[in-house]
Amino acid sequence: MAMFPMYVDLKGKRCLIVGGGAIAYRKAEILLRFEADIIIIAPEACSSLVELEKQDKLKIIRSTYTKNDINEVYLVVAATSSMETNEQVYEDAVNMNIPVNVVDDPEKCTFIFPSIVKRGSLAIGISTSGVYPALSKKIRKITEEIFPEDYSEIVEMLAGFRSRVRKSCLTQPEKEHELRNVLEEFYSKGEITPRALNGVLQRHEEKIRA
């Protein structure tokens, strides 16, 4: 069964990760890219998590998991080596209607981590709904080549142009026409770079001001 790819705002949201190993670190690293407020529950934490704690990027509570730990969290990830603990986290979360992901156990996930390509505000999620994660990772690598790092600057430039178009005196159909034309002209050039986009935007800025 395919899972619905719903995008949510995690900025400042309290996200709980139960477990302190390498897998917990990888999940924390993903959530931090979206500015989540992360709490780690684990008797011991790996050096990578400890380093993030030193940088004030997350909080580690060095103890075993209890049901009270799940109170007032936005979502929870179970990433321990104990099947019993993971099962308890899952049951507690489901009973409290909190989204939960049990690592490497698709049957006990009410949400999943897609393979992500993030370029500033552009976030592309790729998933096989847990049936073949390696395929998601392969497609992610291909997608990273299609959308290199400078796409974050491209998205930012387009966002600024859109804002100026919306504030212009153009009619609504004219605004929509300009926004479409910018993309069509940009992608028709064959050079998908911030420099090339800047040239396209300059020409269209003149139309806005006219």
Side-chain angles (χ1 to χ4, degrees):
M1 178 186 71
M3 300 189 77
F4 176 66
M6 182 174 68
Y7 285 68
V8 297
D9 179 12
L10 292 181
K11 185 175 182 179
K13 301 290 197 320
R14 181 173 294 182
C15 299
L16 174 67
I17 301 176
V18 183
I23 295 176
Y25 168 74
R26 289 200 295 272
K27 301 304 182 185
E29 191 275 333
I30 293 171
L31 294 175
L32 282 173
R33 293 166 67 188
F34 295 89
E35 303 182 61
D37 178 14
I38 300 173
I39 299 174
I40 304 290
I41 298 285
E44 297 180 356
C46 67
S47 59
S48 297
L49 285 173
V50 172
E51 184 60 31
L52 291 177
E53 181 185 37
K54 290 179 180 177
Q55 298 172 22
D56 292 325
K57 292 185 176 181
L58 51 74
K59 179 180 180 181
I60 300 176
I61 299 176
R62 292 165 173 80
S63 68
T64 56
Y65 169 78
T66 68
K67 186 176 181 179
N68 290 334
D69 294 325
I70 207 172
N71 290 335
E72 298 182 358
V73 302
Y74 189 75
L75 61 79
V76 60
V77 178
T80 79
S81 58
S82 168
M83 291 182 61
E84 290 184 358
T85 300
N86 290 347
E87 176 75 26
Q88 188 61 56
V89 173
Y90 171 76
E91 291 181 359
D92 292 343
V94 169
N95 289 336
M96 298 178 68
N97 293 316
I98 298 172
V100 58
N101 176 284
V102 178
V103 175
D104 293 332
D105 193 347
E107 298 299 319
K108 291 185 174 61
C109 294
T110 61
F111 81 94
I112 58 176
F113 281 80
S115 288
I116 296 172
V117 177
K118 189 174 185 295
R119 303 291 186 251
S121 296
L122 174 65
I124 303 170
I126 304 157
S127 172
T128 59
S129 298
V131 301
Y132 209 109
L135 177 59
S136 298
K137 294 177 182 178
K138 178 65 176 178
I139 296 174
R140 184 199 70 210
K141 291 180 180 179
I142 295 171
T143 306
E144 286 174 337
E145 295 176 359
I146 297 173
F147 300 95
E149 290 289 346
D150 60 7
Y151 247 88
S152 59
E153 186 177 352
I154 288 172
V155 174
E156 184 176 344
M157 292 169 67
L158 286 170
F161 176 72
R162 178 174 180 263
S163 177
R164 291 188 293 276
V165 168
R166 294 180 66 185
K167 294 176 183 178
S168 72
C169 296
L170 297 176
T171 65
Q172 186 60 32
E174 289 173 334
K175 292 177 181 179
E176 293 174 359
H177 180 75
E178 279 301 307
L179 295 175
R180 286 196 304 270
N181 278 4
V182 159
L183 290 180
E184 291 174 2
E185 184 176 341
F186 176 46
Y187 280 96
S188 69
K189 296 297 182 181
E191 182 187 350
I192 311 301
T193 65
R195 183 182 67 84
L197 176 59
N198 186 58
V200 173
L201 292 181
Q202 285 182 353
R203 288 190 290 276
H204 283 265
E205 293 279 7
E206 295 176 0
K207 296 179 182 179
I208 296 174
R209 293 193 295 268

